[in-house]
């Protein structure tokens, strides 16, 4: 039997050790994939335009305007090397072609048509490397020249509508969720292509659009429309087919908490913890189907009762009774919790702040990366990775 507590062998390598990745993608979706591969042992070379990835400039008011590694840039660029190359020049294109000739994976996020103009398309890059796996992210698919932006995709694929309250209007998610969903889809596609290459020896194009990744993630909300013909409506943090599930309650001590009661047995235990066992026998609430029908009445009772008792004590009691519940925490509170520490990358001398891992799975057969190189300064490894001579001002000729 597999013992998940076993430590990997002392000489165990990270599973993607020896893999070379050239990242031509920018912003979030593609770079998230690049950091994921770096955390698993791949060498990741981030090729940036002379001005750098635009997220280097996306800073909150709390950040220094003088640094080129913003908090946003840091969320997706640990473990990489940075080389500055001007792909508008023949010399720059030739330099990247040399890098790609020895690469396993290339990551791109160009607007459709731009890769061909820059000679960074699959046909151009795979000519000298038929084993190359080309991971491509677009907004709406390779045949649609429209650029993809997360907020717009959140609006167009139903997420903003569903995320609002009935009377609040649509709300955007506070992270670029469509980018992250597309990144996960591309990771799965690349791993599939690597497996296929082991059997066939051939590379592949793996494409994902933010649009398709978003639609695939509508899950039960999308299925509800397809099965019933009824468009799901916003419920705030509530659930359309489970009650109580997701609603935020405020306890007497000010603690905000949520319940995720998925079974009638759990509801019975909740009522006991609230010293209201009669609610579980009430014909309006004794099954989940009935609770959904009488959502407003039950939510009113729960809101009043939870507001009368201490939230911290209630959470302890609910855990004791195996009723799913949790405190509403800020991002900082969540990252300070003991279980979160394994998901943090240690600070580095040149970037004295922890990082957040993108790899959340573990296996006793290989280690997790203990540390990664800090998010790189712009062009920090240009001289090591490409010949800087062709990029001198007198030698640069804009490609037509």
């Amino acid at each position: 039997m597999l013992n998940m507590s076993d430590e990997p062998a002392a000489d165990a390598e990270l599973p993607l050790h020896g893999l070379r990745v050239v990242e031509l993608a920018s912003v979030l979706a593609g770079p998230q994939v690049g950091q994921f591969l770096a955390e698993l042992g791949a060498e990741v070379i981030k090729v940036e335009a002379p001005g750098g990835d635009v997220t280097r400039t996306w800073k909150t008011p709390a950040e220094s305007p003088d640094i080129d590694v913003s908090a946003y840039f840091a969320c997706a660029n640990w473990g990489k090397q940075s080389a500055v190359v001007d792909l508008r020049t023949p010399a720059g294109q030739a330099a990247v072609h040399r890098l790609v000739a020895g690469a396993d994976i290339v990551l791109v996020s160009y607007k459709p048509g731009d890769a061909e103009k820059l000679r960074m398309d699959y046909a151009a890059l795979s000519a000298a490397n038929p084993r190359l796996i080309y991971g491509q992210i677009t907004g709406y698919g390779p045949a649609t020249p429209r650029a993809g932006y997360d907020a717009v995709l959140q609006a167009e694929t139903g997420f903003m509508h569903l995320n609002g309250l009935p009377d609040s209007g649509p709300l955007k998610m506070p992270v670029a969720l469509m980018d992250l969903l597309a990144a996960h889809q591309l990771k799965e596609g690349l791993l599939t292509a690597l497996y296929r290459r082991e059997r066939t020896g051939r590379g592949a194009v793996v494409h994902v659009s933010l649009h398709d990744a978003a639609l695939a993630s509508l899950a039960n909300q999308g299925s509800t429309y397809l099965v019933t013909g009824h468009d799901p409506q916003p419920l705030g943090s509530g659930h359309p087919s489970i009650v109580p599930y997701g609603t935020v309650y405020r306890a007497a001590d000010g603690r905000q908490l949520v319940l995720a009661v998925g079974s009638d047995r759990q509801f019975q235990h909740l009522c006991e913890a609230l010293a209201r066992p009669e609610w579980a026998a009430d014909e309006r609430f004794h099954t989940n189907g009935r609770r959904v029908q009488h959502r407003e009445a039950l939510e009113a009772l729960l809101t009043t009762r939870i507001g009368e008792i201490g939230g911290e004590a209630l959470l302890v009691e609910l855990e004791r009774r195996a009723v799913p519940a949790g405190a509403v925490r800020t991002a900082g509170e969540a990252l300070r919790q003991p279980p979160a520490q394994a998901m943090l990358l240690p600070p580095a001398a040149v970037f004295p702040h922890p990082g957040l891992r993108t790899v959340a799975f573990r296996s006793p057969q290989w280690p997790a990366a203990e540390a990664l190189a800090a998010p790189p300064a712009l062009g920090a490894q240009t001289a090591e990775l490409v010949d800087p001579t062709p990029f001198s001002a007198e030698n640069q000729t804009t490609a037509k």
Side-chain angles (χ1 to χ4, degrees), residues 50 216 264 389:
D264 298 335
T389 304

Side-chain angles (χ1 to χ4, degrees), residues 95-179:
V96 172
H97 279 238
R98 289 194 295 271
L99 283 176
V100 171
D104 296 282
I105 295 173
V106 168
L107 303 173
V108 303
S109 58
Y110 298 117
K111 188 174 68 174
D114 286 356
E116 288 76 9
K117 294 176 184 176
L118 298 171
R119 296 180 58 236
M120 294 297 131
D121 55 297
Y122 177 67
L125 296 179
S126 65
N129 184 358
R131 288 173 56 82
L132 182 68
I133 295 171
Y134 187 87
Q136 179 184 22
I137 297 173
T138 65
Y140 298 88
T144 303
R146 186 180 178 195
Y149 293 89
D150 183 88
V152 176
L153 268 298
Q154 287 198 37
E156 292 182 334
T157 58
F159 280 83
M160 283 183 68
H161 170 74
L162 290 167
N163 193 40
L165 288 163
D167 57 355
S168 73
L171 293 175
K172 183 180 76 66
M173 293 291 292
V175 296
L177 183 61
M178 307 303 105
D179 280 63

Side-chain angles (χ1 to χ4, degrees), residues 22-393:
V22 175
E23 180 185 298
L24 303 176
S26 60
V27 189
L28 184 58
Q32 272 272 318
V33 177
Q35 181 174 321
F36 168 84
L37 297 171
E39 286 181 44
L40 293 171
E43 176 193 13
V44 181
I45 300 169
K46 184 178 183 69
V47 176
E48 301 186 66
D53 189 315
V54 67
T55 61
R56 290 182 181 275
T57 69
W58 291 0
K59 299 172 185 176
T60 66
E63 296 177 72
S64 168
D66 301 324
I67 59 173
D68 73 351
V69 177
S70 66
Y72 199 113
F73 180 82
C75 84
N77 288 289
W78 283 79
K80 302 177 186 178
Q81 304 172 75
S82 170
V84 170
V85 179
D86 190 345
L87 291 177
R88 297 169 299 175
T89 68
Q93 294 168 9
V96 172
H97 279 238
R98 289 194 295 271
L99 283 176
V100 171
D104 296 282
I105 295 173
V106 168
L107 303 173
V108 303
S109 58
Y110 298 117
K111 188 174 68 174
D114 286 356
E116 288 76 9
K117 294 176 184 176
L118 298 171
R119 296 180 58 236
M120 294 297 131
D121 55 297
Y122 177 67
L125 296 179
S126 65
N129 184 358
R131 288 173 56 82
L132 182 68
I133 295 171
Y134 187 87
Q136 179 184 22
I137 297 173
T138 65
Y140 298 88
T144 303
R146 186 180 178 195
Y149 293 89
D150 183 88
V152 176
L153 268 298
Q154 287 198 37
E156 292 182 334
T157 58
F159 280 83
M160 283 183 68
H161 170 74
L162 290 167
N163 193 40
L165 288 163
D167 57 355
S168 73
L171 293 175
K172 183 180 76 66
M173 293 291 292
V175 296
L177 183 61
M178 307 303 105
D179 280 63
L180 297 173
L181 294 172
H184 283 301
Q185 289 280 352
L186 186 57
K187 294 171 193 175
E188 293 158 8
L190 293 174
L191 296 177
T192 302
L194 285 170
Y195 175 72
R196 175 182 177 272
R197 192 178 73 174
E198 286 299 304
R199 294 185 292 113
T200 67
R202 297 194 300 272
V205 176
V206 179
H207 169 262
V208 63
S209 71
L210 272 66
H211 177 267
D212 289 357
L215 292 181
S217 302
L218 281 173
N220 59 297
Q221 300 283 16
S223 184
T224 293
Y225 171 75
L226 294 172
V227 170
T228 68
H230 296 291
D231 224 336
Q233 296 302 306
L235 290 171
S237 61
H239 197 287
S241 51
I242 311 173
V243 179
Y245 194 106
T247 300
V248 178
Y249 307 98
R250 183 180 292 274
D253 57 5
R255 167 57 72 189
Q256 291 182 297
L257 58 93
V258 298
L259 304 171
V261 176
S263 73
D264 298 335
R265 182 72 171 170
Q266 290 171 350
F267 182 69
Q268 179 181 341
H269 290 322
L270 168 66
C271 295
E272 292 167 354
L274 295 174
R276 296 294 186 270
E278 66 275 12
W279 290 353
D282 190 313
E283 66 174 12
R284 297 174 297 171
F285 311 137
H286 71 278
T287 67
N288 180 67
R290 298 289 289 169
R291 291 193 293 276
V292 171
Q293 291 177 348
H294 297 278
R295 177 190 302 270
E296 291 186 9
L298 178 56
E299 292 286 28
L301 291 172
L302 290 170
T303 297
T304 299
R305 178 56 182 151
I306 292 172
E308 296 170 345
I309 56 182
E312 299 294 347
L314 177 59
L315 287 169
V316 171
E317 180 63 14
L318 293 175
E319 182 175 353
R320 188 183 75 80
R321 294 177 180 268
V323 177
V328 177
R329 298 189 176 111
T330 67
E333 288 171 338
L335 291 171
R336 290 193 298 270
Q337 296 298 305
Q341 301 316 297
M343 285 299 297
L344 301 183
L345 291 162
V350 296
F351 190 73
H353 312 285
L356 189 58
R357 296 178 187 270
T358 63
V359 176
F361 55 81
R362 301 287 185 269
S363 170
Q365 271 62 58
W366 63 76
E370 291 185 7
L372 287 181
L378 178 61
Q381 289 80 31
T382 302
E384 303 168 32
L385 296 169
V386 298
D387 180 1
T389 304
F391 308 113
S392 61

